[in-house]
Structure formats: C-alpha cells, structure tokens
Amino acid sequence: MKRVDLLIVGAGPAGLTAAQYGARAGLNVLVLEQESVGGQALLIDNLENYPGNMAGVSGREITVSMHKQAMDFGAQFDSAEALAISAHGTIPPSFNVVLSDKEPVNAKSIILAMGAKHKTLGVPGENEFIGRGVSYCAACDGPFFRGKKIFIVGGGDAACDEARFLGRLSSNINLIHRRGVLKAQKALAKRVLEDPAVTVRFNTSVTAIEGTSNVEAVELENTKTGEKSREAADAVFIFTGIDPQNHLALSESLPQKPKLDKSGFIITDQNMATAVPGIFAAGDVRSSPFRQVIVAAGEGAVAAHSAAEYIEMLRGK
Ligand SMILES: Cc1cc2nc3c(=O)[nH]c(=O)nc-3n(C[C@H](O)[C@H](O)[C@H](O)COP(=O)(O)OP(=O)(O)OC[C@H]3O[C@@H](n4cnc5c(N)ncnc54)[C@H](O)[C@@H]3O)c2cc1C
C-alpha cells in the first residue's frame, strides 16, 4: 500500500493550493483527481476577479500554473477517484483510502477538496447550449449578452443576486420562478421586485431551451395550469443551487464522520478542521458563504498549514 503524509482529494484551486503549501512544508503529498486538474476553474474564460490577474488570464491558465508550482515543490498527482475512507490502527488513526482501479493509499492526514457541482434543470436543450446561451455564471457570461433578452431560472439568493447584476447589462431580464414567492432574503427579493430591468414570472418553469447554433427561445410552463408557451430568448442563466461533492465524507467505513450543514457542505472550524481529527476540508465542498477561486485557494492554504501542524503533533514535535 502506498503511504503518504497528506492525501488531498480534488485538484481544483483548493486542492492545488493545499498541495503547494503542504509540499513546501516538507510533507509527502499526494493529490487525487478523478477528472481534470483545475476543477470548475477550467470553465472560467476570464478570471478577472482573481487578485493581481488584471490581464484576465483564464481559470485554465491559472490552474496550470498552480499545478506546476505544486509539482515543483514536490507534490505528486494521480488520476483516480477516491471512493471511501476508513480509519486504521489505534488513536489517533491513520486513514486508508480506497481508489478506483488503483491500490489503496494510507495517509496520516486528509484534505477533502472535492468541490461542488451546479444543479441542472435537466430540460431538453440545456446541455446542448452550454456556452452558447446557457450559463451557470453571470459574472463570466453576462457581458456577452449586454442589451439582450435574458432569462434567469431560480428564486433564491443566487438567482436574485445575479438578476440584479444582469439588470445592469440589459433592461430585459426575465426571472422565472416555479413558486409564487421568491426564496431569497427579503431585502434582496424586494430589490429584485422593484428593479425596472427585471420582470419576475411566478409559478412558471422553463421546460425546454431551443435554438440552432445558439439559444433562440425557451418553452415555458405555467406550474399551476400546465399551460405552455414559447418565447424568444438570447440567454438562459440557471441558478437553482449547487451540490457539494461530499460522498467521501459520508464513507460508511469511517466510524466518526465530518459534520455536514443542512445542504450537505462540510462544516469546519477556522483551521479548516472537520469533526474528525486529521481530516480537513477546503473550497466549495466546505460550508461557506462565498464560493470563489480566491476563497478556495485561501482555504486550501489554511488546510495544508493545519494538516502540517497535525502531522508534527503526531510525530511528537
Ligand atoms: C461556470 C463557472 C464560472 C465561475 N466563474 C468564477 C469566476 O469568475 N471567479 C471566481 O473566483 N470563481 C468562479 N467560479 C467558482 C470557482 O470555479 C470555484 O469556486 C472553485 O473552482 C472551487 O474550487 P475547489 O477546488 O473548491 O473545487 P472544484 O473547482 O470544484 O474542484 C474540485 C475537484 O475535485 C475533484 N473530485 C471530486 N470528488 C473527487 C473524488 N472522490 N476523487 C478525486 N477527485 C475528486 C473534481 O473532479 C474537481 O476537479 C466559477 C464556477 C463555475 C462553475
């Protein structure tokens, strides 16, 4: 069985930063990534809100640099999905992690940096038109639809925040919400309802997204009567929530598990420590009010620092 000091699960901005800090602190670090190094940041064309990135370098370019930097400091990377964690030995235990198609890894400490995934509507046309009118990020794609007819799906804080943002780019924003009341905080919902650029359509859902090369129309359904209609559209922004990639934290073989908030995000203290000594969490998978690259990177650095202190404590230093 391969043995490391620190195992990091996920190579998005949180995992990549943790890898750099962990390796630089002299730990033997292994990072596992099930898909592509870079995580969600690979979807960001212009990461213009990352401090210092005034040239608007893409998320892909930034994470390629992060990856190289972590490897230069000695972090190792492997392409595999972490399937389950079990505690091994006496107190404090080390952890065995079962991988897809590879031998298990034993680690003194683990950083969970598995990120999150945006919820999809699952309607016809949604997948087909991602990047061609369908978007999950107003800051990234809103400027492409300046002055255009934009539909927003959702009724929570994210949908309302983004409606306000997009309302500065176009006066033709249509917020589609399947219920009769917005779920967002009252003050925010009030601002959206009073925004002249935004028309809120209650009891309505988007049932299909249509077009040829780009989005051209949406099919709407009245959720009370079932009546359907079709309207021209240039873009559909979907903000119906995000799912934490928390499966590993729920491993049955782990007797004591990290605590989760009511939406399934991992709860930590300010050191990024979960309820399980030796297991830390960082980035979008963590219970947090703001999910961004800079936040994930910062939390990754704190988690690696805390893991290094934990390992030193195990070594009796
Ligand atoms: C379309 C879009 C646009 C965005 N635009 C911006 C922006 O402009 N500015 C900004 O700051 N932020 C933006 N964000 C948010 C930003 O991308 C995220 O906050 C950030 O990537 C979170 O980093 P992370 O490392 O926590 O998670 P992620 O980036 O989600 O990375 C987690 C990684 O873990 C891997 N993983 C999960 N489970 C396992 C497992 N069991 N085994 C192995 N690997 C696993 C995943 O494959 C993934 O690669 C955007 C997000 C999206 C989706």
Side-chain angles (χ1 to χ4, degrees):
M1 183 182 303
K2 185 165 184 151
R3 289 178 194 280
V4 296
D5 293 327
L6 175 60
L7 182 75
I8 298 171
V9 185
L16 289 169
T17 310
Q20 188 240 115
Y21 272 76
R24 202 158 172 265
L27 300 178
N28 174 5
V29 176
L30 175 66
V31 185
L32 299 173
E33 172 53 55
Q34 65 184 6
E35 288 173 18
S36 307
V37 169
Q40 294 171 75
L42 296 174
L43 301 171
I44 310 171
D45 276 342
N46 179 344
L47 186 51
E48 67 181 8
N49 59 2
Y50 195 79
N53 183 25
M54 289 175 70
V57 165
S58 69
R60 177 177 294 278
E61 286 170 276
I62 294 259
T63 51
V64 164
S65 285
M66 288 179 172
H67 186 195
K68 182 171 181 315
Q69 193 178 16
M71 287 193 296
D72 284 352
F73 282 117
Q76 295 174 58
F77 285 75
D78 205 348
S79 176
E81 179 184 3
L83 297 173
I85 307 176
S86 59
H88 177 74
T90 50
I91 298 171
S94 62
F95 302 100
N96 287 345
V97 178
V98 180
L99 309 188
S100 55
D101 307 327
K102 298 247 164 84
E103 64 165 338
V105 178
N106 177 271
K108 294 187 177 78
S109 178
I110 297 179
I111 296 178
L112 303 174
M114 292 92 71
K117 284 206 165 134
H118 286 259
K119 281 187 180 148
T120 58
L121 288 181
V123 301
E126 181 179 14
N127 275 338
E128 190 185 339
F129 292 109
I130 288 176
R132 293 186 292 134
V134 169
S135 172
Y136 304 88
C137 177
C140 320
D141 299 325
F144 298 121
F145 300 99
R146 205 175 280 274
K148 302 280 186 186
K149 183 166 183 179
I150 297 175
F151 283 79
I152 295 176
V153 186
D157 285 349
C160 288
D161 262 340
E162 303 298 33
R164 296 275 295 157
F165 173 80
L166 291 169
R168 296 200 287 273
L169 302 176
S170 167
S171 57
N172 197 350
I173 308 294
N174 299 273
L175 191 145
I176 306 297
H177 185 42
R178 63 195 163 123
R179 300 212 170 85
V181 185
L182 293 174
K183 277 188 304 174
Q185 309 156 44
K186 279 204 169 62
L188 177 58
K190 184 168 180 284
R191 282 200 289 277
V192 166
L193 290 166
E194 288 170 357
D195 189 330
V198 183
T199 306
V200 181
R201 317 260 197 103
F202 289 114
N203 302 313
T204 306
S205 60
V206 169
T207 45
I209 300 168
E210 299 166 1
T212 43
S213 52
N214 295 309
V215 169
E216 290 169 6
V218 286
E219 183 189 72
L220 303 173
E221 183 181 86
N222 181 314
T223 54
K224 288 206 154 162
T225 63
E227 190 187 330
K228 294 217 173 178
S229 59
R230 190 171 176 278
E231 267 188 51
D234 296 304
V236 184
F237 285 84
I238 299 164
F239 303 112
T240 48
I242 55 172
D243 284 326
Q245 299 298 100
N246 62 10
H247 321 296
L248 207 54
L250 304 171
S251 299
E252 275 183 21
S253 43
L254 201 54
Q256 187 192 353
K257 300 184 204 336
K259 288 201 167 59
L260 307 180
D261 68 17
K262 64 178 176 11
S263 305
F265 292 92
I266 300 170
I267 295 172
T268 73
D269 64 13
Q270 63 178 4
N271 298 318
M272 307 299 139
T274 70
V276 183
I279 300 186
F280 301 84
D284 278 16
V285 76
R286 197 180 85 86
S287 183
S288 149
F290 196 38
R291 297 193 172 85
Q292 290 280 279
V293 173
I294 181 64
V295 178
E299 291 179 0
V302 176
H305 176 73
S306 302
E309 287 200 328
Y310 173 81
I311 291 167
E312 278 195 17
M313 188 262 299
L314 292 185
R315 287 174 179 153
K317 286 189 186 163

